[in-house]
Amino acid sequence: MILKVLLINPPIYDFAAYDFWLKPYGLLSIAGHLRGKADFVIFDYLNRLHPFVTRQKELQSDQWGRGRFFCEKLPNPPCLETIPRYFRRFGLPRDIFRDFLAQHKPFDFVFIQTTMTYWYQGVKEVIDDIRKAWPQAKIVLGGNYVTLCSSHAEKLGANFLVQGTNLDPLWKYLDITPDMSQPALWEVYEKLKVGVLKLSQGCPFNCTYCSVPKVYGKFKARPLQRSLDELELLAKYGIENIAFYDDALLCEAEKVLVPFLNEVVKHNIKVNFHCPNALHARFVTQELAEIMARAGFKTFYLGFESASSNWQKRTGSKVFCDELVSAVKNLTTAGANPQNITAYQILGHPYGDIQELEESMRFVHSLGIRGMLADFSPIPETPDGEFCRKWVDMDEPLFHNKTAFPIILMGFDESNRLKDLQRQLNRSLT
Ligand code: B12
Ligand code: SF4
């Protein structure tokens, strides 16, 4: 008898959340490897094409498919009681899921996506509801929170945890042989406008605030054909926007991204590409910028973090100021709209004293592009995350919260002042 598997993307408990092309790509990839070998249904609390959401005008998408989630206010968790921001639950209301459980016979397995470490309360909510309605269902967790906080995740009440990227224990647990050449199971959605692709895994850099070097190791490309098959599947769906989830999308571009984009151009595939997970400015040559623009890249996010060379060197030297200048020049020469080029800078990093953040923001502004402050989330077992034990209990993942940590480190007023300044600078772009 074919197994029945329910896929779940849980609600988010946080001070802020926005659909910045968020898709449960790990969950869909796992299900893709089991295509045809199990029956799948998805319950995605963050699906903004659900009728509950599409009925609400203020939750409509912007021109690139991003938008707000439905949310409900909650009291702050006790350990974040002093953070002067509203804590909320984002995603479809709990009753919709409880009705779903009541209307369906129990599935054999429930796979739950975990994402940010500090979002575990949403995972717990889902597990509690499943346990009540379907006590026999086997609950499997995987993804970033499980990988980075495995001993914490073990206490949530699931049956099986997939830590890291080795999936062999999962296939053994399910007693199914996967087909690793299959793309993600996008067809499990009834409607879809935004998709995700990942052409590679890992990163050649070693930034002290990032978990990627430890979890994924060095950069490795995925087979081109698999990515093209996935693109074809997404294109068949009529997808309008695709976000890349690669850690180092531009690394070895001549072997990975360029051949992929050449196929996009050759087959005249019309989609808008986005890179919310930040590009390496160092790799944006004129030639690469041209093919990216031609193939349909519409928004460009560059990881910059700080203009202080002292800070850049101390955290891993992934980018220097002249490389940002040259990347911006190459992108605009290729036709990118400067309003759609954004440089991220970390707010609330523990070496804030040498970051010269305000000067960095003005430097980014002087290039005629937008700046975006990326609140710092301390990550356990990274050098900078471990350093943060000075200020917070890193064994409680709620303290990794990106809104909370900068406020704990630098105070509410200073954090707000810098955010206001960033808004002003962006507004004054001509
Ligand atoms: C894409 C991405 C984003 C996207 C959105 C992702 C999303 N869906 O929410 C964007 C750009 C919006 C984003 C934002 C941020 N991100 Co981010 N992001 C990533 C990235 C690059 C990939 C995550 C992903 O979805 N991968 C897709 C899947 C396919 O890959 P995978 O995890 O390798 O999956 C494997 C296994 O884990 C397993 N698996 C995965 N899921 C599941 C599920 C089940 C059921 C099973 C069985 C197995 C399984 O199977 C796969 C087998 O290879 C990771 C880094 C990384 N490489 O993981 C950082 C990462 C998750 N982000 C991080 C950070 C810091 C942030 C920001 C805080 C940055 C900032 N300051 O703004 C924000 C936070 C946003 C918010 N609202 O709070 C940190 C984690 C922080 C934390 N405390 O958890 C990471 C780890 C990067 C880092 N610096 O170390 N991010
Ligand atoms: S370049 Fe990006 S993905 Fe690579 S280690 Fe640094 S922050 Fe992480």
Side-chain angles (χ1 to χ4, degrees):
M1 218 178 61
I2 193 151
L3 289 180
K4 286 190 77 182
V5 181
L6 177 61
L7 306 173
I8 300 186
N9 192 25
I12 296 172
Y13 283 58
D14 201 339
F15 295 99
Y18 185 73
D19 187 1
F20 203 60
W21 303 292
L22 303 193
K23 289 285 168 229
Y25 194 52
L27 183 71
L28 298 172
S29 302
I30 299 290
H33 298 321
L34 300 174
R35 187 181 263 106
K37 300 179 185 222
D39 272 346
F40 292 99
V41 172
I42 192 161
F43 191 94
D44 184 348
Y45 285 81
L46 306 182
N47 178 9
R48 291 188 315 101
L49 296 181
H50 187 284
F52 176 82
V53 179
T54 52
R55 280 199 295 268
Q56 306 186 45
K57 253 204 160 144
E58 68 279 11
L59 303 180
Q60 274 171 17
S61 299
D62 70 6
Q63 65 167 327
W64 308 128
R66 298 166 295 195
R68 287 165 56 192
F69 292 118
F70 173 75
C71 70
E72 297 152 280
K73 272 190 202 159
L74 295 174
N76 285 21
C79 69
L80 300 179
E81 214 169 10
T82 56
I83 303 298
R85 285 278 169 89
Y86 289 122
F87 199 70
R88 297 169 231 225
R89 179 191 176 283
F90 295 87
L92 296 177
R94 195 165 181 171
D95 281 347
I96 298 187
F97 185 55
R98 287 179 168 161
D99 290 347
F100 172 94
L101 290 172
Q103 284 159 14
H104 288 80
K105 287 207 181 112
F107 285 50
D108 303 299
F109 288 93
V110 180
F111 291 0
I112 306 179
Q113 177 73 63
T114 76
T115 310
M116 299 302 146
T117 54
Y118 48 89
W119 287 353
Y120 72 82
Q121 290 167 296
V123 180
K124 174 90 175 75
E125 175 197 301
V126 172
I127 295 177
D128 290 348
D129 284 347
I130 293 166
R131 283 284 175 243
K132 260 192 216 130
W134 299 349
Q136 283 88 9
K138 298 238 169 5
I139 300 178
V140 177
L141 301 186
N144 181 61
Y145 157 68
V146 174
T147 299
L148 297 180
C149 301
S150 51
S151 38
H152 190 274
E154 273 164 17
K155 293 181 215 136
L156 291 197
N159 297 86
F160 192 79
L161 265 56
V162 177
Q163 208 193 328
T165 53
N166 177 11
L167 301 175
D168 291 342
L170 174 66
W171 312 136
K172 257 193 218 139
Y173 180 67
L174 300 174
D175 197 19
I176 303 183
T177 310
D179 178 352
M180 298 306 283
S181 68
Q182 289 286 328
L185 197 81
W186 292 106
E187 66 272 24
V188 76
Y189 284 100
E190 249 170 56
K191 270 196 212 158
L192 202 58
K193 287 194 174 162
V194 169
V196 165
L197 284 174
K198 203 173 167 187
L199 307 186
S200 64
Q201 194 154 289
C203 175
F205 295 96
N206 237 319
C207 301
T208 52
Y209 43 84
C210 177
S211 64
V212 169
K214 183 160 185 239
V215 175
Y216 298 90
K218 288 294 168 211
F219 177 84
K220 200 166 154 244
R222 290 180 163 186
L224 175 65
Q225 194 50 50
R226 194 174 126 203
S227 303
L228 292 172
D229 290 347
E230 186 152 358
L231 175 66
E232 198 186 314
L233 181 66
L234 290 170
K236 235 194 271 167
Y237 238 122
I239 294 285
E240 294 160 10
N241 291 286
I242 292 183
F244 286 99
Y245 274 11
D246 297 63
D247 297 305
L249 181 66
L250 305 188
C251 185
E252 298 181 19
E254 68 294 348
K255 290 194 224 144
V256 189
L257 182 62
V258 172
F260 175 84
L261 295 181
N262 281 337
E263 290 295 314
V264 171
V265 173
K266 189 167 132 198
H267 295 285
N268 201 22
I269 296 171
K270 297 279 178 229
V271 282
N272 304 313
F273 291 117
H274 309 277
C275 47
N277 196 39
L279 300 174
H280 291 98
R282 180 171 301 173
F283 299 137
V284 185
T285 60
Q286 189 58 59
E287 222 184 343
L288 186 55
E290 301 281 348
I291 176 81
M292 288 172 79
R294 202 168 341 123
F297 270 81
K298 292 295 179 341
T299 64
F300 300 85
Y301 292 86
L302 300 163
F304 183 55
E305 324 308 352
S306 163
S308 148
S309 64
N310 200 1
W311 191 93
Q312 290 163 350
K313 285 182 200 142
R314 183 146 168 199
T315 56
S317 303
K318 79 169 174 190
V319 63
F320 296 112
C321 296
D322 55 330
E323 293 166 335
L324 183 72
V325 174
S326 145
V328 170
K329 186 175 138 281
N330 292 340
L331 288 170
T332 46
T333 307
N337 178 350
Q339 285 283 354
N340 290 332
I341 306 176
T342 306
Y344 288 129
Q345 288 170 101
I346 295 191
L347 175 80
H349 184 274
Y351 304 151
D353 52 338
I354 57 161
Q355 193 190 1
E356 299 164 11
L357 184 55
E358 203 170 318
E359 290 84 333
S360 305
M361 287 156 69
R362 295 189 192 282
F363 170 72
V364 166
H365 181 71
S366 74
L367 304 179
I369 60 168
R370 297 172 67 82
M372 192 187 276
L373 294 179
D375 309 73
F376 178 67
S377 163
I379 303 173
E381 292 188 39
T382 60
D384 295 355
E386 289 304 312
F387 185 59
C388 291
R389 288 191 188 273
K390 260 171 84 166
W391 294 280
V392 292
D393 173 7
M394 287 296 291
D395 300 324
E396 169 48 70
L398 290 174
F399 280 119
H400 312 164
N401 186 290
K402 73 174 178 69
T403 302
F405 188 79
I407 293 176
I408 293 170
L409 188 81
M410 65 198 327
F412 184 63
D413 290 346
E414 178 61 358
S415 149
N416 262 359
R417 185 185 72 79
L418 290 162
K419 286 185 177 180
D420 283 346
L421 175 63
Q422 185 63 75
R423 274 189 284 270
Q424 266 174 35
L425 291 171
N426 286 345
R427 266 200 300 266
S428 70
L429 281 176
T430 46

